[in-house]
């Protein structure tokens, strides 16, 4: 069966990796990417596939209902992987409106467009809508707490987390009310190629290359479960192709690491792999800064459900994944260096100053 898959936010980090994964794994599928190309969307991430005619790229916003209706019909979309979202917690604290507009209203608009498209085709049972979300909707864990799972109550702590929680509830409500074949996934922190430079791992790598201080929030003891993005793409593929509509699947890397320990691992790898650094050892660049407001203490995912039901499990340890990530950033300066200019550079300067204040 040939699928016609729409990936929203496909010029972003996770979705961009999913585009590459799907094009390689399912070359006979029709692949369509929709992206608004805001600051975190980089067409260069998928440009080789566009140039090769492996996908159709549509520059547009998920809040544009006429565009969605036309796109779904013209490309005869049967499957949707919805990853378009505002995703940076710091940005949500200073400007929450954009997060509500995209993550809540945009998800609603996309669900409604897909529902109309699905109903016009006599509600085919094999169609799927996968809504990709985050573990941040569950709130924060104490060190002794068990990991999050599919039954964990929601307790979002930031505007970003609240907006994603709202979109999760919308997706489930559309499945329950209208019978729309919706699935939801909640993942832990992703990392790997094409990660936007404002995030912790690429920010650390780039600051080391530039000889700039590495800001670490608080005492660096906040813990995250790190999921290599290629492992996540395999999980999303499994959920979209074999998951049961109406179900939620928690996806985690089973790699809990404190932020400070993660930064130190990156420093060691950069000292080993980067031939010329302005300052060595890189750990000398670490600076502790005022903690983020409402900074969640710990995230961790129990991924046993997806492992037992769909046979997926993470294959990449955090040590392996970080090495691959460092090697990718060192080899792909032409991808990330243009992102450090103009408006983005101005924003990063403001954030950098705020973190060191």
């Amino acid at each position: 069966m040939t699928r016609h898959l729409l990936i929203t936010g496909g010029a972003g980090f996770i979705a961009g990796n999913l585009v590459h994964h799907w094009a390689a794994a399912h070359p006979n599928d029709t692949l369509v990417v929709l992206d608004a190309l805001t600051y975190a969307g980089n067409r260069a991430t998928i440009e080789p596939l566009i140039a090769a005619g492996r996908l159709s790229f549509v520059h547009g916003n998920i809040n544009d209902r006429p565009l969605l209706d036309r796109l779904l019909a013209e490309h005869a979309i049967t499957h949707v992987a919805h990853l378009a979202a505002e995703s940076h917690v710091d940005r949500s604290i200073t400007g929450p409106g954009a997060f509500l507009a995209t993550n809540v209203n945009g998800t609603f608009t996309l669900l409604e467009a897909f529902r109309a498209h699905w109903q016009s085709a006599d509600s085919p049972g094999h169609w799927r809508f996968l809504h990709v979300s985050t573990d941040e909707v569950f709130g924060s864990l104490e060190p002794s707490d068990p990991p999050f799972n599919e039954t964990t109550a929601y307790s979002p702590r930031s505007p970003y987390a609240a907006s994603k929680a709202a979109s999760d509830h919308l997706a489930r409500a559309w499945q329950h009310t209208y019978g729309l074949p919706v699935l939801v996934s909640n993942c832990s922190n992703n990392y790997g190629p094409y990660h936007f430079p404002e995030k912790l791992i690429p920010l650390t790598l780039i600051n080391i290359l530039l000889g700039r201080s590495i800001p670490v929030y608080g005492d660096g003891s906040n813990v995250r479960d790190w999921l290599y993005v290629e492992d996540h793409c395999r999980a999303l593929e499994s959920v979209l192709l074999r998951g049961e509509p109406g179900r939620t699947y928690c996806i985690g890397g089973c790699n809990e690491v404190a932020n400070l320990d993660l930064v130190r691992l990156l420093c060691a790898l950069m000292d080993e792999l980067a031939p010329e650094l302005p300052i060595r050892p890189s750990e000398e660049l670490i600076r502790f800064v005022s903690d983020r407001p409402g900074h969640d203490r710990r995230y961790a995912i129990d991924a046993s459900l997806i492992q037992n039901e769909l046979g997926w499990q993470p294959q990449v340890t955090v040590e392996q994944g970080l090495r691959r990530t460092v090697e990718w950033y060192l080899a792909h300066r032409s991808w990330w260096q243009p992102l450090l200019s103009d408006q983005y550079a101005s924003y990063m300067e403001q954030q950098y100053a705020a973190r060191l204040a």
Side-chain angles (χ1 to χ4, degrees), residues 14 18 80-83 129-138 149-150 154 160 164 167-168 171-172 182-188 190 227 232-233 235-240 244 246-252 301 305-306 310:
I14 299 174
L18 181 61
V80 173
H82 175 38
L83 293 92
F129 185 109
L130 171 58
H131 173 65
V132 179
S133 189
T134 171
D135 60 356
E136 295 196 33
V137 300
F138 300 126
N149 62 29
E150 289 77 6
Y154 275 36
Y160 162 62
K164 290 299 290 184
S167 66
D168 291 7
R172 294 192 184 96
V182 171
L183 307 107
V184 175
S185 65
N186 297 92
C187 69
S188 58
N190 279 230
L227 173 64
H232 190 199
C233 290
L236 296 178
E237 177 187 31
S238 297
V239 173
L240 193 55
E244 180 182 345
R247 298 297 296 271
T248 295
Y249 296 90
C250 285
I251 305 168
I301 286 281
L305 178 67
I306 188 174
L310 304 181

Side-chain angles (χ1 to χ4, degrees), residues 46-194:
I46 55 174
E47 187 61 44
L49 294 173
I50 299 173
R54 299 295 305 280
L55 60 84
S56 297
F57 177 75
V58 180
H59 180 197
N61 194 296
I62 57 172
N63 275 302
D64 186 343
R65 177 62 188 272
L67 171 64
L68 294 179
D69 290 338
R70 185 169 64 252
L71 184 157
L72 293 170
E74 289 180 358
H75 295 278
I77 297 299
T78 61
H79 292 66
V80 173
H82 175 38
L83 293 92
E86 294 284 349
S87 65
H88 195 255
V89 175
D90 286 353
R91 285 180 181 263
S92 81
I93 294 171
T94 58
F99 288 74
L100 298 178
T102 298
N103 299 354
V104 182
N105 293 337
T107 297
F108 160 73
T109 304
L110 183 61
L111 283 165
E112 279 290 85
F114 186 73
R115 179 168 73 94
H117 176 58
W118 174 71
Q119 290 176 334
S120 70
D122 295 326
S123 307
H126 66 282
W127 288 20
R128 295 290 183 271
F129 185 109
L130 171 58
H131 173 65
V132 179
S133 189
T134 171
D135 60 356
E136 295 196 33
V137 300
F138 300 126
S140 182
L141 293 171
E142 294 301 320
S144 60
D145 289 340
F148 303 131
N149 62 29
E150 289 77 6
T151 65
T152 301
Y154 275 36
S155 181
R157 305 288 197 87
S158 69
Y160 162 62
S163 69
K164 290 299 290 184
S167 66
D168 291 7
H169 291 318
L170 286 173
R172 294 192 184 96
W174 260 240
Q175 191 280 327
H176 180 79
T177 302
Y178 303 110
L180 200 66
V182 171
L183 307 107
V184 175
S185 65
N186 297 92
C187 69
S188 58
N189 284 47
N190 279 230
Y191 68 104
Y194 304 112

Side-chain angles (χ1 to χ4, degrees), residues 208 266-275 277 279-283:
I208 291 172
L266 290 171
C267 288
L269 284 167
M270 289 293 285
D271 289 345
E272 174 190 347
L273 298 173
L277 294 176
I279 296 177
R280 189 188 298 268
S282 300
E283 279 198 28

